[in-house]
Amino acid sequence: MNLSTYYRMRAREFGNNLVAIDGDRKTTYNQLEEISNKVANWLKGTGIKPGERGIIYLPNCTEYFYFMYGALKAGIVPIPLNYRFQKEELRYVLKDSGAAAVFTLSQHAAVMSELQKEEGYIQQIVVADGDDKKSGTILLKDIVAEYSGETEIYPALDDDLAMIMYTSGTTGRPKGVRQTHRNNIVSAEGFAYTQRITSTDRFFCIAPLFHVGGTIASLAAILTGGAVVFTPGGWSPTGFLETVEKNKVTWAFLVGLMGAQLATVENLEKYDLSSLHHVAFGGSPIPAAMYAKFESKYKVRTLELYGRTEHVGSSINYDSNDTRVPGSVGKLLTQIMKGKLVDSEGKEVPPGQPGELVVIGDNITPGYWNKPEDTKKLFASDGWQHTGDVFVQDENGYLFFKERVDDMIISGGENIYPGEIIPVLAGHPKVAEAFVLGIPHDDWGQQVAAVIVKKDPSLTEQEVFDYCGSRKDLSGYKKPRVIKFVETMPKNAAMKIDKGALVQLFKK
């Protein structure tokens, strides 16, 4: 069933409730239903056929929902695209996807028009803001004024393509991950179930809507009749606190860096945060020190989760009533998928032993767009998907993320997991942030290298070496041999550390 039919059912039930709060703008379920119908009717009249693709190149905003649900209703496949992509990255995705429509802001109309002329794929460019119609573009305000607010939803089966979401591309070209209608529905339902979301909840959405974290969490909020709260000015710790107070936010999904920044805010007593009952963290492994600082200041339940674009959302998390197990990202969402940890030969490993997570289930992508060879590598012959992520599972089923298989360092024949070293470095009082990777070594194959952001400018390499040397929990072969200091840790738009940029540091 078409994903947008679920939204229509929520609009019938919660029509006058707020679905989106975007600064001072408030939108009800009925209003979103009507405007997305108008977008669908416009698309149907353009000659763009069902199954063709439409890129959404926007920051988080209410208009994102107009275009996403409007496209789905017309049978067009939306592509929520990384809003930090520059012209050549846009060109790559445009050519790879063959997108026929682009939904964007007026400030990007010129570059989209250039790409339209240079590549010839784009048939329509829709501008979400402003009154000035640029050459070759359509204004959303004109669509809203001219088209009917009722439409028939294009029929779709559960396994039909609903969306394409491009990966972050931290180590190479981004890949388009195909997502079915079923993938999105079960992932959102599974998330709503574990987070105990209801129609009275309000979700603080700072995770980008071009990322599965933002899309699925928002969809979970909408499927339960709740509201999504945006912050037009982007992220800031005080902006978050002010938004929680003003809009009575009940839950949020943040990345670890945001939690660390919130832990430094003073005079918390001036904010009324009584509505906020839990915060989920994800995107990358969260240092224990961040949790300690955050939980000492904020009296809310904190949870961690794990997900992938290829899982169309989170596949491991906590029930929102659970007590977080330090270091664990939770348990498998067994209502929608199955998973197990295996060794390099595909044999399941016992509790306490590291193994690669392999999964199968209703939320798992059928593969990549236009990349049959990469799709083939993604799945084993029995249909289980390889995540490339190493975990350890305890006797109670809690999973502890260790590292990416391809991030594992092999030095002198020893397997080294950076996830074991990073918390040690992060525990140094003069270290603000740390990352560990393997770099080439003539004799050992690879050696351990660390990239560090200083908390105290006086920190030296020798202090770090001495600190690691004194640690009883860090074997000699795991200790960093090379250290680079940086002002800030490079991150992509999904707030994940850009490993490709760090690798380049050691090539200079």
Side-chain angles (χ1 to χ4, degrees), residues 291 303-305 316 318 324-331 394 397-401:
Y291 277 116
L303 308 169
E304 194 167 346
L305 55 81
I316 305 172
Y318 286 87
R324 183 177 59 83
V325 176
S328 172
V329 291
K331 297 181 179 181
D394 70 12
Y398 287 98
L399 288 154
F400 298 77
F401 177 78

Side-chain angles (χ1 to χ4, degrees), residues 66 195 325 341 354 414:
Y66 297 160
Q195 302 303 292
V325 176
L341 303 183
E414 296 284 357

Side-chain angles (χ1 to χ4, degrees), residues 18 20-27 199-205 226-232 238-251 271-276:
L18 292 178
I21 302 172
D22 191 352
D24 293 328
R25 296 190 300 155
K26 295 181 179 180
T27 304
S199 60
T200 63
D201 280 311
R202 291 185 171 184
F203 163 54
F204 178 83
C205 184
V228 179
V229 181
F230 297 119
T231 52
T238 55
F240 169 76
L241 298 173
E242 290 166 357
T243 301
V244 170
E245 179 177 34
K246 178 181 178 181
N247 297 296
K248 304 303 178 188
V249 168
T250 59
W251 68 284
Y271 301 101
D272 180 3
L273 306 178
S274 58
S275 62
L276 187 67

